[in-house]
Amino acid sequence: MAHTSDSHTTGRSGGRAIGGTGTPAGFPVAVRRPVRLLGAACALLALAFVLGACATTEDAPAPSNVIEVREPKPAVVYPKPLEGGEELGMFGPRLTLREFLTRTLREEYFSLGDLYAPPPDDFFNMYFTQLHMENAVLHLAKDVVHYSADPGGLAVALKNGNLMVWSGWSCPGVAVPGSSGARFMSWDSASPILAACDADGLRIRLFDLRHCAQVHTIELRSPVTAMALSPKGTWLGAVTEVRDLVVGRSLGNLRKVAVLRFEPAAIGFSPQEGLMLVLDQGGWVTMWAPHAARYVDRFQISPGPYASARFAGDRLHVVTREGRTMDWDLVKRAEVAPDGSRSRFYAEDGVLYYRTWQQRPVKKMHLGRPELAVWLSRGAHMLRVHDIDGGVRYYSATDGSQQPPVEAGDWLPLDMDPAEGFSVDERRFVLADVVFQKDHKRLMCRTVPGQGFFLWWTMVQRPGEYHPHPGKLPDRTNLAADAAVSWVGLEAPENLP
């Protein structure tokens, strides 16, 4: 049972009330005095983050005037995750997170395998394709209750009680017994231990992803409202509906160490597990040493209410209900500029998404033949292009560069050849480039600023083999046939987690 001794505490249910203003009620004098030494506490917190709150000699005496925070020795030594490949399990093949995201990207977005596949002969000149570059948003899972994600892995709790895992560990998933699902879950990809709380919040289950097995259960007196497993899986912290803050070994028992005055907004651990941190809706960040179940310090950020909040290393990311985003440096205790560490994962209406760092081509089909027309004004030395997207653009008839719109009264249409080219005097211009040709089937591409790439297939009389830039499309900004053209790669991004 999650409990604590009541012999030296005060407040509701014997816990220490924390948060709000003043010294936490019920702290003995030996604890109150160091709390007032803010300079020493700030230095201690910085040391905890930089050195992992390390003072690992268990029997070294604590100084009389400072609160000691020591990192415990790991309870277990975990083997390294597996390297690549797939292994079959009861939840399907084991995939690393990178493999899962790459496969999903290939299934949901444009694939290079489709680019060079011509349509049946009857469909030539019946449609053309537009590829617009944008950040890909991948649909990863539905009916999602909770999830944990970092660059090394992803775990998702579903309504049906299944916990799906994509990581280097051998287990692709486990299940919470029964059909009621899980209320919360917490996990870090560096650890094989995953924690999940039953739907009623009264039981926390610990799973070992090396064996796809439940290895421990913790019973609680009040339903859990927030929960966090430490990065190495050593410690487990939780807040219950009566605002009890409990902490202990993840494969042991939990002990009540305090009572929060406000509802919790986020709970987490420092990277080396030396500190447990809790943010409440009053804006108070409270720090505990989990190995000693001991209060360390607290400070206040901008008061809530918050829509979301999470601890990430030595940073706290907060979003208010008004939509304002804030980043706080937990060592400096000050608001700072975002550091780019925000998660690419997010959930909306029970659907989990991932937004790629790099832009990807999004495919859109247009019925009918692509329509391109060019007009020449010799008086203005300009070309007027009635473009494939319906827009009108102007280019110099001298060097082919794009120009602002001009007024002229001598516009005359020009004839174009099958390669979408034309000539003005001795200078040749082209509106599109050949991307690929196999026998009599040729793939053309026209780049439109702000609209992306437009591609279509044509039949040509002379057969040929042409594939100069595999996996790339031309980004032509100048219509002169001899102008330099940039070729943009369409390969899957390399920096998926």
Side-chain angles (χ1 to χ4, degrees):
M1 300 288 284
H3 67 280
T4 183
S5 172
D6 294 339
S7 61
H8 63 283
T9 58
T10 61
R12 185 173 67 251
S13 302
R16 306 185 182 101
I18 62 175
T21 58
T23 301
F27 281 126
V29 174
V31 174
R32 293 188 185 186
R33 180 159 44 92
V35 169
R36 293 193 293 266
L37 301 176
L38 294 182
C42 289
L44 175 63
L45 178 59
L47 182 62
F49 276 104
V50 175
L51 300 179
C54 58
T56 58
T57 303
E58 288 295 321
D59 42 357
S64 60
N65 63 339
V66 76
I67 300 173
E68 184 182 14
V69 181
R70 297 174 294 173
E71 180 185 4
K73 296 179 180 179
V76 292
V77 178
Y78 300 128
K80 293 182 179 180
L82 302 176
E83 296 293 338
E86 296 186 7
E87 294 182 0
L88 292 179
M90 61 181 295
F91 285 86
R94 183 194 69 84
L95 295 174
T96 66
L97 178 56
R98 182 183 294 275
E99 290 168 344
F100 174 54
L101 294 178
T102 301
R103 185 183 69 178
T104 305
L105 179 65
R106 183 172 61 249
E107 292 173 348
E108 297 183 359
Y109 276 78
F110 174 79
S111 173
L112 276 177
D114 301 331
L115 180 62
Y116 305 112
D121 293 351
D122 293 342
F123 285 87
F124 270 73
N125 297 320
M126 293 185 63
Y127 73 91
F128 59 99
T129 302
Q130 179 183 2
L131 296 180
H132 179 68
M133 301 298 290
E134 63 181 41
N135 293 95
V137 177
L138 308 183
H139 296 61
L140 302 182
K142 63 180 181 179
D143 297 329
V144 174
V145 177
H146 210 258
Y147 72 94
S148 293
D150 62 45
L154 167 67
V156 178
L158 305 179
K159 288 183 179 179
N160 62 7
N162 290 341
L163 305 173
M164 307 301 298
V165 181
W166 295 273
S167 73
W169 300 105
S170 58
C171 181
V174 293
V176 175
S179 59
S180 57
R183 174 181 286 204
F184 299 108
M185 64 162 296
S186 183
W187 175 67
D188 189 286
S189 65
S191 166
I193 303 301
L194 180 151
C197 181
D198 284 7
D200 60 9
L202 295 175
R203 185 179 293 103
I204 298 176
R205 303 176 187 271
L206 285 302
F207 298 88
D208 192 324
L209 299 181
R210 295 166 295 186
H211 310 293
C212 280
Q214 180 177 322
V215 294
H216 189 58
T217 303
I218 298 174
E219 304 279 350
L220 297 111
R221 297 171 180 172
S222 178
V224 172
T225 58
M227 181 181 73
L229 190 66
S230 64
K232 299 176 184 178
T234 308
W235 301 100
L236 179 67
V239 181
T240 69
E241 283 188 355
V242 294
R243 300 179 189 168
D244 287 345
L245 177 63
V246 296
V247 64
R249 295 277 183 179
S250 61
L251 301 183
N253 296 316
L254 301 185
R255 174 190 175 193
K256 185 172 73 174
V257 294
V259 178
L260 300 181
R261 292 184 178 177
F262 302 98
E263 293 295 328
I267 182 171
F269 288 83
S270 60
Q272 298 301 320
E273 304 186 325
L275 291 174
M276 180 178 69
L277 307 106
V278 179
L279 170 69
D280 62 37
Q281 292 288 352
W284 289 96
V285 177
T286 305
M287 305 162 205
W288 286 81
H291 70 284
R294 198 172 173 193
Y295 170 85
V296 175
D297 202 3
R298 75 176 185 277
F299 70 97
Q300 189 177 31
I301 66 171
S302 298
Y306 310 112
S308 64
R310 68 182 180 93
F311 293 100
D314 60 354
R315 293 293 181 100
L316 170 61
H317 305 304
V318 174
V319 179
T320 68
R321 292 184 183 176
E322 293 76 25
R324 183 190 172 199
T325 299
M326 298 180 292
D327 277 23
W328 287 80
D329 187 310
L330 296 173
V331 176
K332 298 178 180 178
R333 305 188 180 194
E335 186 174 357
V336 293
D339 62 357
S341 65
R342 297 190 183 282
S343 175
R344 310 301 292 179
F345 299 87
Y346 63 97
E348 293 180 354
D349 300 324
V351 179
L352 180 63
Y353 301 93
Y354 174 83
R355 185 183 300 275
T356 63
W357 290 93
Q358 295 180 348
Q359 291 190 335
R360 299 292 302 145
V362 179
K363 187 176 181 179
K364 182 179 181 180
M365 306 298 293
H366 298 271
L367 296 178
R369 297 183 57 176
E371 296 183 0
L372 287 165
V374 181
W375 299 68
L376 170 66
S377 169
R378 290 194 175 275
H381 302 286
M382 294 290 288
L383 299 169
R384 186 178 70 191
V385 176
H386 293 218
D387 225 327
I388 193 171
D389 65 333
V392 177
R393 295 173 179 86
Y394 295 81
Y395 298 84
S396 167
T398 303
D399 60 14
S401 60
Q402 188 170 356
Q403 301 292 324
V406 297
E407 296 290 340
D410 60 341
W411 295 109
L412 294 174
L414 298 178
D415 295 328
M416 290 192 295
D417 55 39
E420 309 298 345
F422 57 92
S423 297
V424 176
D425 298 329
E426 301 299 324
R427 192 77 187 260
R428 176 169 170 77
F429 299 88
V430 293
L431 295 181
D433 294 277
V434 179
V435 172
F436 176 80
Q437 182 174 333
K438 179 71 173 180
D439 298 329
H440 296 274
K441 300 176 180 180
R442 177 182 291 176
L443 180 63
M444 303 295 299
C445 179
R446 162 75 176 154
T447 306
V448 176
Q451 300 296 320
F453 305 98
F454 290 81
L455 299 106
W456 64 98
W457 288 90
T458 63
M459 298 290 290
V460 295
Q461 293 183 349
R462 179 177 297 178
E465 297 283 341
Y466 185 77
H467 197 191
H469 301 280
K472 297 182 179 181
L473 293 178
D475 183 11
R476 176 177 287 277
T477 59
N478 190 304
L479 299 188
D482 57 357
V485 177
S486 298
W487 290 82
V488 179
L490 303 179
E491 295 83 1
E494 294 295 328
N495 59 353
L496 293 175

